[in-house]
């Protein structure tokens, strides 16, 4: 069900949500968090779709803030979606116009679920300093996605400069499967230190840099990134050890990783690129500060050399 | 800069604070005996696929099916493919299946056939060579316990039960763990003759359920429940496991076993142990088991078994719009069987915490609906500053933990009815697991198979627990065999009248789940 409200206020929207709950049993009581999405234009629907998918694991109230253009008359338009149009969440779209755009935090406050944690997600351009942003300052978790920015690598460096506990970037979730595979490969004998590391992949993807930075800060070994022309993600990893080096490859477009290690048969495992909803779901799983991300971003990134 | 040290158990890429990294099983193979059976087709193979789909199985994973069918590897893959497509929890992905199924093998033969086990040993060896399973293998005995000795003896004979250095061999057995104390011990002797105790994984799939683990979280991670979790506040506890179906085609297994042996001995007594135990000092396997064993050893059975237990057998009749046959008319049933399809027993826990608090356990088939729950029913408030007629409709407070289906917790308490009069009535507050967390939590078998491959034992009962459970149940079953027979009950109801009478004697009634 979709309900449009024009020229309204946040408290009127809140009252409408309570009314809907009493009428139709569209209950927000079991919701575990409020997810605030800051997006504009076309990106709104894609972000809401991802949030709806993620809400199947983390039932949440989704509040989308979509600031209108400058020239519009001042006020607030809104849309409420519940039931089949909202996955396991209820979605409130807020379109502040004119001067109402300047105090977005007061738009959101009346609609937050009591006591539940707040997560703010900027699917496109994050503010320069997320934790200083009025919305970001309210949140336990601030999620950016610099992979979608025009200059992702510079933005990534910016995230490191302004890092505050509770920040994460979806590029980090994009490395998780690779990280799991790399970690598992060192669980097996022979137990040898890794002397140097090479990460293959797109030089322009933040996930390639974060993966390399994580390896550098954990293994305390030199790590280089080798640009793989045409790649849109991480495409390989070489761990150089004294007797038994390990090499993993997932060519661009393939969903299969081949693991090569001396003295063992080649192994293959399915590992597709993750859809955005999967990454978001992972990020919502824990809402405390991600210390490993912090270490990787702040300490690991400067250690990585590009070839 | 010296590179970070890597040793067995010290992996610089595994940081305890990194909670995103999945626990992936190491290189290993799983051999399933009885792979054509229902359990393997509906639960085990789909669980293996779901694990692979969630990225929790290593690239070096092999699965070998062993059964009597005259199949080649391809035939087995086809059957497994269909079973997985039909029963897997996560969406079916051809890419994942293709990689996983490359490690699927099939060995055809009888358990008595020496050459079949030699072929099995070669197959396992080839998996090590071709897939890199690294000599680590688990043997899942999804076969009737009567065949354990033969299978285990064969495994030992071809050397499959003995691991080489730095590798492991494990065996997985399913309930029933015997049918009384003596047979449980005999069965265990047979298993432990071949595998050391730490390599034996007994699967009680209830312990793999999220809700059962949540019981521990509810009790020990919260401050508000534990202070009232004792005889000062609790009146009694009811643990129910009801099924709405009959025994179907399982007459051969069920007849002579009955509800008490089938589910009370394992599932319900485990639930009792988790509900009643003291706080373990940690969640390490040994500490958890120590507490469960302590509480099971403190369980006492009623002195007058006849008065404090009840049993029944379902009759033919109409159940929910469908005509169903009675237990005695089920296909393959022996005439005049006195096997119970409903069992209810009262147990007491002789500890300071639970002195005088009865635990009522009931389990049965063809009952009102399918439900498993633990209900903690509290005493009435010692003093009510209200008139009797104001609190007419106020029952006892209760916390109900729904294990399945519709997993969650309900709290029942009194609330004022709106209006001018002071009238108090029961209301419920509900937490639905599916509302607050994942829509589909992992299947119990996914968790248990992964834990077994990782060698993580907290969720597997130990032989001592099995023996303690039989010690509780043996005298009751013995009494039943010698006295009378089960009372018939209509299908689709909540059991025989004697079950209600049994609670009425204590001045209580069963909850309607």
């Amino acid at each position: 069900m979709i309900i449009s409200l024009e020229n309204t206020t946040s408290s009127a929207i809140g009252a409408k949500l309570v009314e809907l709950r009493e009428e139709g049993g569209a209950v927000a009581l079991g919701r575990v968090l409020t997810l605030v999405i800051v997006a504009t234009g076309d990106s709104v629907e894609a972000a809401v779709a991802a949030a709806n998918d993620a809400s199947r694991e983390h039932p949440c109230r989704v509040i989308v803030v979509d600031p209108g253009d400058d020239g519009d008359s001042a006020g607030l338009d809104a849309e409420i979606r519940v039931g089949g149009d909202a996955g396991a969440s209820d979605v409130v779209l807020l379109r502040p116009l004119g001067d109402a755009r300047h105090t977005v935090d007061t738009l959101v406050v009346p609609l937050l679920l009591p006591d539940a944690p707040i997560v703010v997600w900027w699917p496109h351009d994050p503010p320069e300093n997320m934790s200083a942003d009025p919305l970001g300052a309210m949140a336990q978790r601030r999620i950016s996605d610099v992979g979608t920015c025009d200059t992702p690598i510079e933005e990534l460096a910016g995230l490191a400069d302004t890092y505050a506990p509770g920040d994460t970037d979806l590029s980090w979730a994009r490395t998780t499967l690779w990280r799991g595979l790399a970690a598992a490969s060192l669980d097996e004998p022979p137990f040898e230190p890794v002397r140097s590391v090479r990460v293959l992949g797109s030089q322009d993807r933040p996930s390639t840099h974060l993966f390399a930075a994580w390896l550098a800060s954990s293994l305390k070994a030199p790590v280089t990134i080798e640009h793989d022309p045409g790649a849109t993600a991480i495409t390989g990893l070489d761990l150089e050890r004294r007797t038994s080096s390990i090499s993993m490859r997932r060519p661009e477009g393939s969903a299969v990783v081949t693991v090569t290690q001396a003295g063992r048969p080649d192994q293959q495992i399915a590992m597709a690129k993750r859809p955005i909803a999967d990454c978001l779901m992972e990020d919502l799983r824990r809402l405390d500060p991600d210390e490993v991300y912090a270490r990787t971003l702040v300490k690991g990134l400067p250690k990585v050399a590009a070839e | 800069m010296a590179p970070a040290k890597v040793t067995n158990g010290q992996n610089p890429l595994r940081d305890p604070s990194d909670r995103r990294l999945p626990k992936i099983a190491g290189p290993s193979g799983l051999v399933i005996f009885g792979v054509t059976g229902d359990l393997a087709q509906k639960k085990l193979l789909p669980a293996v696929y779901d694990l692979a789909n969630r990225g929790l199985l290593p690239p070096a994973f092999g699965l070998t099916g062993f059964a009597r069918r005259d199949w080649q590897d391809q035939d087995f893959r086809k059957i497994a493919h269909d079973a997985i497509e039909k029963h897997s929890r996560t969406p079916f992905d051809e890419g994942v299946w293709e990689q996983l199924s490359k490690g699927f093998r099939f060995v055809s033969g009888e358990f008595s056939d020496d050459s079949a086990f030699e072929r099995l040993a070669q197959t396992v060896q080839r998996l090590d060579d071709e897939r890199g399973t690294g000599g680590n293998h688990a043997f899942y005995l999804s076969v009737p316990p009567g065949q354990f000795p033969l299978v285990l003896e064969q495994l030992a004979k071809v050397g499959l039960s003995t691991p080489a250095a730095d590798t492991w061999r494990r065996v997985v057995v399913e309930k029933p763990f015997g049918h009384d104390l003596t047979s449980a011990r005999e069965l265990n002797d047979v298993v432990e003759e071949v595998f050391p105790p730490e390599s034996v994984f007994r699967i009680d799939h209830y312990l793999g359920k999220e809700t059962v683990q949540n019981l521990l979280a509810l009790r020990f991670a919260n401050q508000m429940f534990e202070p009232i979790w004792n005889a000062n506040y609790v009146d009694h506890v009811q643990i129910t496991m009801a099924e709405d179906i009959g025994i179907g085609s399982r007459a051969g297994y069920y007849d002579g076993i009955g509800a008490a042996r089938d589910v009370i001995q394992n599932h319900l007594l485990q639930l009792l142990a988790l509900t009643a135990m003291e706080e373990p000092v940690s969640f390490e396997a040994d500490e958890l088991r120590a507490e469960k064993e302590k509480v099971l050893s403190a369980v006492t059975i009623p002195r007058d078994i006849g008065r404090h237990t009840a049993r029944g057998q379902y009759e033919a009749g109409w159940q929910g719009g469908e005509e169903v046959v009675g237990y005695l008319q089920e296909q393959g049933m022996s005439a005049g069987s006195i096997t119970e399809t409903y069992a209810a027993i009262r147990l007491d826990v002789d500890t300071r915490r639970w002195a005088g608090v009865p635990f009522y356990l009931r389990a049965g088939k063809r009952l009102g609906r399918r439900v498993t729950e633990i209900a903690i029913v509290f005493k009435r408030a010692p003093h009510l500053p209200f008139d009797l007629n104001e609190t007419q409709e106020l029952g006892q407070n209760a916390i109900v933990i729904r294990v399945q289906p519709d997993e969650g917790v309900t709290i029942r308490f009194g609330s004022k009815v709106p209006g001018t009069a002071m009238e108090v009535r029961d209301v419920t507050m509900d937490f639905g697991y599916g509302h607050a967390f994942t829509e589909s939590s992992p299947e119990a078998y996914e968790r248990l198979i992964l834990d077994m491959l990782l060698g993580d034992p907290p969720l597997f009962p130990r032989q001592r627990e099995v023996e303690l459970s039989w010690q509780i149940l043996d005298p009751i079953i013995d009494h039943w065999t010698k006295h009378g027979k089960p009372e018939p009950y209509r299908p689709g109801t909540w059991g025989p009248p004697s079950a209600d009478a049994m609670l009425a004697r204590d001045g209580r009634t069963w909850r309607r789940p």
Side-chain angles (χ1 to χ4, degrees):
Chain A
M1 184 168 45
I2 298 181
I3 296 143
S4 295
L5 300 165
E6 271 171 42
N7 205 1
T8 182
T9 64
S10 292
S11 54
I13 300 168
K16 187 76 193 169
L17 281 167
V18 172
E19 190 188 313
L20 285 172
R21 190 174 99 209
E22 286 179 353
E23 273 176 13
V27 190
L29 291 181
R31 309 278 185 255
V32 292
L33 57 95
T34 308
L35 176 64
V36 181
I37 304 175
V38 186
T40 50
D42 298 340
S43 61
V44 169
E45 288 309 320
V48 170
N52 283 347
D53 276 352
S55 75
R56 297 190 193 286
E57 182 170 319
H58 308 278
C60 51
R61 168 168 290 170
V62 180
I63 302 174
V64 185
V65 183
D66 176 8
D69 293 326
D70 235 350
D72 297 326
S73 58
L76 175 66
D77 288 350
E79 194 177 298
I80 298 174
R81 299 179 188 175
V82 290
D85 295 302
S89 54
D90 42 19
V91 180
V92 183
L93 264 80
L94 301 174
R95 291 200 193 86
L97 307 166
D99 284 345
R101 291 178 305 150
H102 302 306
T103 53
V104 282
D105 53 336
T106 66
L107 291 177
V108 170
V109 166
L111 301 174
L112 298 172
L113 298 173
D115 267 356
I118 304 163
V119 179
V120 184
W121 174 31
W122 290 271
H124 286 283
D125 297 303
E128 234 159 72
N129 183 346
M130 294 199 288
S131 53
D133 179 88
L135 283 176
M138 289 192 296
Q140 274 74 37
R141 217 355 138 44
R142 292 166 291 274
I143 304 173
S144 53
D145 189 0
V146 292
T148 61
C149 299
D150 295 335
T151 51
I153 307 307
E154 276 120 83
E155 296 280 343
L156 187 65
L159 289 181
D161 294 339
T162 62
Y163 174 80
D167 290 2
T168 53
D169 192 272
L170 287 185
S171 305
W172 179 233
R174 290 191 186 100
T175 67
T176 304
L177 297 178
W178 273 105
R179 295 196 302 123
L181 211 53
S185 73
L186 296 191
D187 283 338
E188 300 309 317
F191 300 103
E192 292 181 319
V194 177
R195 297 198 292 200
S196 75
V197 181
R198 204 158 59 118
V199 172
L200 272 76
S202 165
Q203 183 79 264
D204 307 320
R205 298 297 298 167
S207 49
T208 314
H209 291 260
L210 284 173
F211 185 43
W214 172 69
L215 290 162
S217 71
S218 311
L219 292 174
K220 302 191 170 52
V223 177
T224 51
I225 294 179
E226 188 181 308
H227 183 58
D228 182 353
T232 60
I234 302 164
T235 52
L237 170 69
D238 291 329
L239 299 173
E240 196 248 305
R241 302 193 292 183
R242 197 174 59 80
T243 64
S244 174
S245 294
I246 304 169
S247 163
M248 305 178 187
R249 289 291 178 276
R250 181 182 69 180
E252 178 62 28
S254 164
V256 176
V257 180
T258 306
V259 184
T260 315
Q261 187 174 353
R264 291 191 184 194
D266 274 9
Q267 296 166 357
Q268 297 194 312
I269 190 163
M271 194 172 94
K273 274 173 81 174
R274 301 178 92 184
I276 186 101
D278 269 21
C279 298
L280 185 62
M281 224 180 281
E282 179 182 305
D283 260 81
L284 296 181
R285 220 163 273 159
R286 320 218 44 130
L287 298 176
D288 50 342
D290 188 334
E291 291 163 27
V292 182
Y293 169 74
R295 193 186 71 208
T296 301
L297 184 72
V298 179
K299 301 213 177 108
L301 271 185
K303 292 193 179 128
V304 180
E307 228 172 48
Chain B
M1 180 173 61
K5 231 162 100 184
V6 180
T7 60
N8 189 358
Q10 186 186 357
N11 181 343
L13 295 182
R14 290 209 186 276
D15 180 335
S17 65
D18 191 347
R19 282 166 305 210
R20 290 175 188 249
L21 273 202
K23 250 195 203 167
I24 303 177
S28 50
L30 179 64
V31 178
I32 302 180
F33 293 97
V35 76
T36 50
D38 242 23
L39 180 76
Q41 301 280 315
K42 284 191 184 146
K43 297 286 184 188
L44 304 183
L45 292 172
V48 166
Y49 167 82
D50 287 329
L51 284 174
N53 200 17
R54 289 163 67 206
L56 301 178
L57 288 185
F61 178 79
L63 187 145
T64 311
F66 188 108
R68 209 176 297 145
R69 305 287 166 86
D70 189 17
W71 282 347
Q72 300 298 315
D73 288 350
Q74 306 87 285
D75 305 317
F76 173 51
R77 278 183 204 139
K78 168 125 195 11
I79 301 290
H81 175 279
D82 295 348
I84 288 167
E85 210 172 15
K86 197 160 158 210
H87 298 289
S88 69
R89 180 180 63 86
T90 55
F92 190 79
D93 180 310
E94 277 295 337
V96 173
W97 163 252
E98 200 179 308
Q99 295 313 322
L100 178 69
S101 65
K102 279 185 190 161
F104 279 30
R105 304 284 184 274
F106 186 77
V107 176
S108 160
E110 301 276 346
F111 294 147
S112 56
D113 180 2
D114 290 359
S115 65
F117 277 82
E118 272 155 31
R119 284 201 301 281
L120 178 67
Q122 289 159 7
T123 307
V124 164
Q125 179 60 45
R126 271 208 306 278
L127 276 175
D128 285 346
D129 300 339
E130 292 164 13
R131 296 279 293 180
T133 43
N136 304 315
H137 295 280
F139 301 94
Y140 201 120
L141 306 188
S142 181
V143 297
Q147 300 184 311
F148 286 6
L150 184 54
V151 175
L152 290 164
E153 188 193 324
Q154 292 281 26
L155 285 176
K157 217 194 278 176
V158 292
L160 280 173
S161 57
T162 333
D166 283 335
T167 70
W168 51 257
R169 297 291 155 101
R170 295 180 184 139
V171 66
V172 187
V173 294
E174 279 268 352
K175 70 154 199 184
F177 313 121
H179 54 85
D180 59 16
L181 182 59
T182 322
S183 62
R185 283 193 177 140
E186 280 167 12
L187 187 66
N188 187 54
D189 289 346
V190 167
V191 177
E192 293 196 350
E193 200 173 303
V194 178
F195 288 93
E198 65 277 8
S199 299
V200 182
F201 289 75
R202 293 174 192 81
I203 289 214
D204 183 333
H205 69 271
Y206 258 61
L207 296 184
K209 284 188 183 295
E210 288 285 341
T211 11
V212 172
Q213 294 161 50
N214 188 41
L215 180 59
L216 299 176
L218 184 87
R219 287 192 57 195
F220 302 123
N222 293 306
Q223 175 73 338
M224 56 197 272
F225 299 115
E226 201 55 21
I228 53 171
W229 211 264
N230 55 51
N232 294 336
Y233 299 95
V234 176
D235 180 62
H236 69 282
V237 177
Q238 297 186 9
I239 303 180
T240 303
M241 178 176 171
E243 288 171 283
D244 54 4
I245 51 168
I247 58 156
S249 58
R250 293 168 69 226
Y253 163 74
Y254 200 86
D255 197 34
I257 296 286
R261 287 192 180 105
D262 188 35
V263 294
I264 293 187
Q265 181 269 332
N266 35 65
H267 305 327
L268 293 202
L269 283 176
Q270 285 286 336
L271 291 182
L272 178 144
L274 293 171
T275 308
M277 72 181 191
E278 298 297 320
E279 183 174 69
V281 284
S282 79
F283 280 98
E284 296 292 318
D286 282 346
E287 313 294 352
L288 201 59
R289 287 160 165 176
E291 294 305 331
K292 284 202 288 180
E293 286 167 13
K294 250 167 69 187
V295 75
L296 286 174
S297 65
V299 168
T300 56
I301 59 170
R303 202 174 301 164
D304 186 346
I305 294 176
R307 283 171 68 80
H308 295 289
T309 66
R311 63 192 154 135
Q313 203 177 57
Y314 60 83
E315 303 174 304
W318 284 81
Q319 180 186 12
E322 181 192 10
E323 190 170 17
V324 298
V325 298
Y327 180 72
L328 293 175
Q329 292 90 51
E330 296 279 8
Q331 204 185 345
M333 189 55 59
S334 49
S337 164
I338 58 156
T339 300
E340 83 282 358
T341 64
Y342 175 97
I345 57 178
R346 172 190 164 141
L347 297 174
D348 282 79
V349 179
D350 263 1
T351 61
R352 186 176 185 128
R353 184 192 279 265
W354 296 115
V357 179
F359 283 70
Y360 299 104
L361 274 51
R362 59 173 164 168
K365 299 209 174 269
R366 288 245 180 266
L367 296 183
R369 65 192 191 90
R370 173 174 168 256
V371 63
T372 302
E373 62 167 41
I374 303 162
I376 320 289
V377 182
F378 290 89
K379 294 180 173 168
R380 283 180 182 279
H383 169 73
L384 288 171
F386 306 103
D387 277 346
L388 192 57
N389 39 14
E390 286 170 351
T391 52
Q392 272 300 348
E393 290 184 67
L394 176 65
Q396 285 165 284
N397 295 163
I399 296 178
V400 182
I401 296 146
R402 299 190 303 273
V403 177
Q404 71 173 20
D406 185 24
E407 293 85 345
V409 181
T410 299
I411 298 184
R412 202 168 163 76
F413 58 96
S415 170
K416 183 183 172 301
V417 181
T420 46
M422 185 65 197
E423 214 184 308
V424 184
R425 184 188 289 173
D426 282 342
V427 294
T428 57
M429 198 159 75
D430 198 55
F431 154 71
Y433 228 71
H435 304 156
F437 296 111
T438 71
E439 193 177 58
S440 63
S441 354
E443 266 280 336
Y445 278 103
E446 281 174 68
R447 172 73 196 262
L448 293 173
I449 290 175
L450 181 65
D451 277 7
M452 186 271 297
L453 292 174
L454 290 164
D456 199 11
L459 298 178
F460 300 89
R462 192 160 50 176
Q463 176 63 13
R464 171 108 178 100
E465 290 166 63
V466 174
E467 290 185 11
L468 284 168
S469 311
W470 283 121
Q471 270 170 22
I472 297 166
L473 217 53
D474 275 356
I476 296 174
I477 294 175
D478 192 46
H479 176 93
W480 284 350
T481 339
K482 289 184 186 138
H483 300 90
K485 53 180 199 158
E487 184 183 9
Y489 61 92
R490 286 196 303 128
T493 63
W494 285 107
S498 56
D500 297 328
M502 159 195 158
L503 250 71
R505 265 175 220 125
D506 295 350
R508 301 191 173 94
T509 53
W510 288 109
R511 261 176 56 82
R512 187 173 40 74

